[in-house]
Amino acid sequence: MITLDELYEKLKPIRVGNPICEFTREHCERIWPTIERIRELKKEKNAIILAHNYVEPEVLYGVADYSGDSYGLSKKAKASDADVIVFAAVRFMVETAKILNPEKTVLDPNPNGGCSLADGIMPADVKKLRKQYPDHTFVCYINTTAEVKALCDVCVTSSNVYRIVEAIDNDRIYFLPDKLMAQNVIEHCRRNGIDKTINYWDGTCYVHEEYQPEAVDFVRKANPGVDVLVHPECAPGVVQKADFVGSTTNMLDHVRGSDADTFFLLTECGLTGVLQSEFPQKKFVGSCTMCRYMKANSLTDVLGVLENPQPHQIITLTPEVRQGALRCVEAMFEYTEQPTSK
Ligand code: 13P
Ligand code: SF4
């Protein structure tokens, strides 16, 4: 368990945000009683806390048992033997934990846990599309509600999307809701000689769609040797300029194994904070874009949901939605864990 001194050492190197946040020793002392109370409640209730790589560093380093990307955290949720799972992220990730753990209490601390992708497609849209594209395999990004997952065939995350689309035994795919990720998949298939027709929905992540290819040119010119890491929710023009493309945890692993000393990350800047903390000797350049949904999780919200969860914070799913969504998520695990032919 982290001590106050260790927490300060972890938070001290982080310089992200606008204005730039600085974690002082006094700040750590101020939040420490909340952290201690959360720990007591965790023990009392046999709870674990999962936190996505983008959430506030106080939550990530102060109270989370596990942090990671959406795939890794789904696996942690699946393997957990806690009675209560508190998931600091956005609603669709918390719902995925419930899909995998119907008998557990799954709690969402976030007062604003939407996501521009998950909110951009409704079950009625999918029902209509299935009639329009009856011979297509419906692939949904994990950034969808449980109701939408229940209407699709297989779910993907940023860490397995290319692999799963390649492995699907159908040359007609409908991909939803992220149009930029779909375009990246199309480009990936084209480059690898994979012949599939991929139709897609018109959703975007409001954070990642902002990045422009020119930003990569500009940063490369100013920082020779910079390692450019891009999330596949970015536009194809940006992805094509990357040295590495992957999920947030894939990026973290890439930095760990890279010889470069300067990095440009085109993703939500919470991840930059994590990397500054983990690799204080490396340099991270470029702008800082925040996801307002992920950043809505505070330590106080985590405390509140453990102390006295409100009905809307306790995830419930109808058996029909849960069964359908489970089939879709389990299909993802099967594809991801099967050995690749290459
Ligand atoms: P990761 O699964 O790569 O962490 O991405 C989740 C997400 O919402 C990115 O915007
Ligand atoms: Fe959704 Fe984009 Fe925020 Fe990720 S960064 S949770 S895709 S809005």
Side-chain angles (χ1 to χ4, degrees):
M1 234 187 293
I2 202 165
T3 63
L4 174 57
D5 288 334
E6 286 163 353
L7 178 67
Y8 176 50
E9 288 308 311
K10 277 283 179 204
L11 298 184
K12 199 168 60 171
I14 300 176
R15 294 276 179 283
V16 289
N18 187 13
I20 296 284
C21 70
E22 274 198 55
F23 292 98
T24 58
R25 169 93 201 175
E26 291 67 38
H27 177 80
C28 293
E29 282 167 9
R30 246 189 337 266
I31 62 176
W32 194 248
T34 309
I35 291 175
E36 287 198 308
R37 181 69 189 128
I38 291 172
R39 281 182 182 172
E40 282 168 15
L41 286 166
K42 259 185 4 183
K43 220 193 263 167
E44 234 170 74
K45 304 198 173 198
N46 187 25
I48 58 160
I49 299 178
L50 307 180
H52 186 266
N53 287 325
Y54 291 161
V55 305
E56 293 289 355
E58 291 107 310
V59 174
L60 275 176
Y61 289 115
V63 296
D65 296 286
Y66 301 103
S67 59
D69 62 7
S70 32
Y71 186 76
L73 291 174
S74 305
K75 292 210 68 171
K76 288 290 177 202
K78 196 176 174 205
S80 165
D81 57 5
D83 295 321
V84 177
I85 299 176
V86 176
F87 204 144
V90 283
R91 192 72 169 197
F92 71 83
M93 291 192 197
V94 195
E95 277 187 354
T96 306
K98 183 67 182 179
I99 293 165
L100 295 164
N101 293 281
E103 74 296 346
K104 294 192 175 116
T105 302
V106 178
L107 300 176
D108 184 358
N110 193 334
N112 180 23
C115 161
S116 66
L117 282 169
D119 298 342
I121 187 159
M122 298 294 125
D125 299 319
V126 186
K127 285 182 188 158
K128 222 162 112 198
L129 289 164
R130 291 221 76 139
K131 285 197 185 123
Q132 227 176 313
Y133 298 93
D135 54 353
H136 284 49
T137 296
F138 272 64
V139 179
C140 62
Y141 189 28
I142 197 164
N143 299 36
T144 42
T145 61
E147 283 86 352
V148 165
K149 286 186 180 77
L151 296 167
C152 293
D153 299 307
V154 54
C155 174
V156 296
T157 75
S158 52
S159 66
N160 54 31
V161 52
Y162 295 140
R163 194 150 33 117
I164 292 181
V165 172
E166 269 183 42
I168 288 171
D169 189 19
N170 186 354
D171 57 6
R172 280 157 214 227
I173 306 278
Y174 195 94
F175 190 93
L176 62 89
D178 190 343
K179 85 167 169 202
L180 299 178
M181 188 175 280
Q183 289 166 1
N184 287 319
V185 173
I186 292 170
E187 182 54 24
H188 168 85
C189 289
R190 193 192 60 75
R191 260 187 284 118
N192 290 281
I194 299 159
D195 189 17
K196 284 190 197 274
T197 303
I198 301 176
N199 288 295
Y200 52 85
W201 187 249
D202 189 21
T204 52
C205 162
Y206 89 102
V207 174
H208 291 86
E209 73 174 339
E210 288 303 311
Y211 295 115
Q212 299 299 324
E214 294 73 30
V216 179
D217 300 334
F218 181 81
V219 169
R220 278 201 197 280
K221 208 162 165 198
N223 301 275
V226 66
D227 201 351
V228 177
L229 282 62
V230 174
H231 196 277
E233 287 171 17
C234 293
V238 178
V239 166
Q240 280 151 32
K241 287 185 178 279
D243 296 307
F244 179 80
V245 182
S247 77
T248 53
T249 295
N250 296 154
M251 290 189 205
L252 202 151
D253 293 340
H254 177 85
V255 171
R256 186 174 287 118
S258 170
D259 292 336
D261 52 20
T262 308
F263 298 86
F264 179 28
L265 273 83
L266 291 99
T267 192
E268 207 269 357
C269 71
L271 185 68
T272 310
V274 171
L275 292 168
Q276 286 172 332
S277 178
E278 298 302 315
F279 308 103
Q281 73 289 3
K282 306 226 183 220
K283 194 171 149 201
F284 298 90
V285 295
S287 59
C288 181
T289 324
M290 293 206 191
C291 171
R292 62 175 175 270
Y293 306 112
M294 285 284 188
K295 290 296 187 276
N297 290 283
S298 68
L299 269 183
T300 321
D301 295 322
V302 174
L303 176 59
V305 86
L306 269 169
E307 241 166 10
N308 183 23
Q310 300 304 299
H312 69 277
Q313 296 178 307
I314 305 168
I315 306 292
T316 53
L317 300 170
T318 65
E320 195 192 0
V321 166
R322 193 253 159 189
Q323 280 305 330
L326 181 66
R327 179 193 33 72
C328 182
V329 174
E330 290 286 12
M332 168 179 79
F333 287 126
E334 271 164 42
Y335 274 114
T336 310
E337 274 141 44
Q338 80 191 8
T340 46
S341 50
K342 285 173 208 163

